[in-house]
Amino acid sequence: MPELPEVETVVRGIRPQAVGRTILSVRRASPLMARSQVGPFRRGLVGRRFLALDRHGKWMFFRLSGDRTLVVHLGMTGRLEVTPAATPALPHTHLRLALDRGDEELRFSDPRRFGELWLAGPAHLEERFGPKRLGPEALAIDALSWRTTLAATKRKLKVVLLDQRAVAGIGNIYADEILFDAGLSPAALANRVGDQAAEALRRAIGRVLRRAIRCQGTSIRDYVTAQGVPGEFQDRLKVYGRAGEPCKRCRGAIVLDRSIVAGRATYWCPNCQTGSPAAEGRG
DNA sequence: GGCCGTGTTGTTAA
DNA sequence: TTTAACAACACGGC
């Protein structure tokens, strides 16, 4: 599932293929995904040029000329690619943008239709994707404000990691991997773990996400890069999906627990993950 | 062929 | 106000 490392990988793949090019025409499926814009895509997109492509958490921002931004969330199965216009479109392709300089298209496909597409002006951008709605980027958390965030809530650590307003970009897989890396229990209460654990967690966030980006993300079911290639981090997962298998650190059994976060699978090692952080440098 | 799992967000309830 | 639980989304797979 696309979390920060997968989205970052897609951004790096798409950026050189899209930035600088102008949108010649738009083909949009109707209806679009449920949580996406229904309004005038064509008028807002045709003739505009891609100026930059940014990411914040799991959100992608295509900055366009004329002070417009095409905002994309991949949801669970969303996929972006730039392909020759003659290439047959993937099933469930919802948006096709024809690009100048070469006969190519930027395409968005999404079988599960949990993805989102928005064409936003400055006000809409601030309102829906500004700091009120989206927490600090996971790869750039400030140590002091992170300590403050944790101290201010009695929620479980894993719940906080998944909260996109607390920190943007982490989903179910990396939450589990980060907590294992930090040696912290997913069920530990945020306001009880202390400053040392907060800092250990912050460093684990950076370590795990950067490692996963180097591997081009985790491909378990649907995710592939913009070039259609699977990532490789699934081979390096320490806990996620490994219920019953031996912990890579203590050889004890990894546990699957559905009670820590309602409705979500949580994989962890009860032996290695406690209420206080493990020594640095695991993995 | 119906049900469940899947991740995220928004909504509702406590 | 904060937190927990749940609904909705849509499809593949069992």
Side-chain angles (χ1 to χ4, degrees):
Chain A
M1 318 300 149
E3 304 178 30
L4 187 151
E6 291 76 33
V7 178
E8 176 64 21
T9 301
V10 171
V11 162
R12 290 181 185 182
I14 294 286
R15 186 181 280 135
Q17 298 180 294
V19 170
R21 303 178 78 173
T22 299
I23 299 167
L24 298 180
S25 66
V26 176
R27 269 204 275 178
R28 195 192 71 177
S30 184
L32 214 47
M33 292 82 65
R35 267 205 297 258
S36 293
Q37 185 160 347
V38 226
F41 256 97
R42 187 168 286 102
R43 179 157 49 84
L45 287 173
V46 171
R48 296 193 197 269
R49 198 158 76 98
F50 288 108
L51 302 179
L53 172 53
D54 305 319
R55 177 192 58 76
H56 187 115
K58 304 170 194 176
W59 292 92
M60 302 170 66
F61 300 92
F62 290 85
R63 315 288 180 188
L64 300 169
S65 55
D67 216 5
R68 293 271 147 177
T69 302
L70 177 63
V71 185
V72 178
H73 194 295
L74 297 175
M76 289 172 63
T77 56
R79 189 167 158 184
L80 274 175
E81 57 180 7
V82 174
T83 67
T87 304
L90 291 165
H92 308 286
T93 293
H94 305 297
L95 185 68
R96 306 167 70 158
L97 306 181
L99 305 175
D100 70 345
R101 291 191 285 112
D103 195 13
E104 290 188 329
E105 290 182 350
L106 173 64
R107 294 173 176 171
F108 178 82
S109 61
D110 182 12
R112 291 291 193 284
R113 300 170 68 93
F114 282 19
E116 301 186 33
L117 292 172
W118 302 96
L119 184 58
H124 184 206
L125 204 59
E126 171 68 18
E127 168 79 17
R128 276 214 45 148
F129 309 100
K132 275 196 299 188
R133 300 290 283 273
L134 221 48
E137 155 72 19
L139 287 178
I141 318 173
D142 168 71
L144 175 57
S145 61
W146 179 242
R147 283 205 298 273
T148 308
T149 297
L150 291 187
T153 181
K154 50 170 126 179
R155 290 185 294 168
K156 294 165 185 168
L157 284 184
K158 173 153 179 184
V159 173
V160 178
L161 286 178
L162 292 174
D163 181 355
Q164 302 300 302
R165 292 185 181 195
V167 51
I170 299 167
N172 203 38
I173 295 173
Y174 293 109
D176 285 359
E177 294 298 313
I178 287 163
L179 286 161
F180 177 81
D181 192 74
L184 288 165
S185 163
L189 302 184
N191 65 344
R192 302 279 283 279
V193 297
D195 289 353
Q196 202 187 333
E199 182 59 12
L201 191 55
R202 192 184 69 86
R203 297 172 79 97
I205 290 170
R207 269 199 305 272
V208 170
L209 295 181
R210 283 178 217 283
R211 263 183 226 144
I213 291 170
R214 275 202 296 278
C215 290
Q216 303 205 93
T218 302
S219 292
I220 290 177
R221 185 155 298 165
D222 303 283
Y223 162 76
V224 290
T225 71
Q227 283 68 40
V229 178
E232 294 176 350
F233 199 70
Q234 63 277 9
D235 300 331
R236 308 213 185 176
L237 296 173
K238 305 265 177 68
V239 286
Y240 186 87
R242 299 190 65 244
E245 295 176 38
C247 171
K248 304 216 177 233
R249 179 168 171 271
C250 75
R251 313 313 293 175
I254 300 299
V255 166
L256 167 57
D257 191 330
R258 293 188 182 273
S259 68
I260 294 173
V261 180
R264 313 296 299 279
T266 294
Y267 299 89
W268 65 300
C269 174
N271 184 47
C272 294
Q273 297 178 246
T274 65
S276 52
E280 191 88 14
R282 171 175 296 175

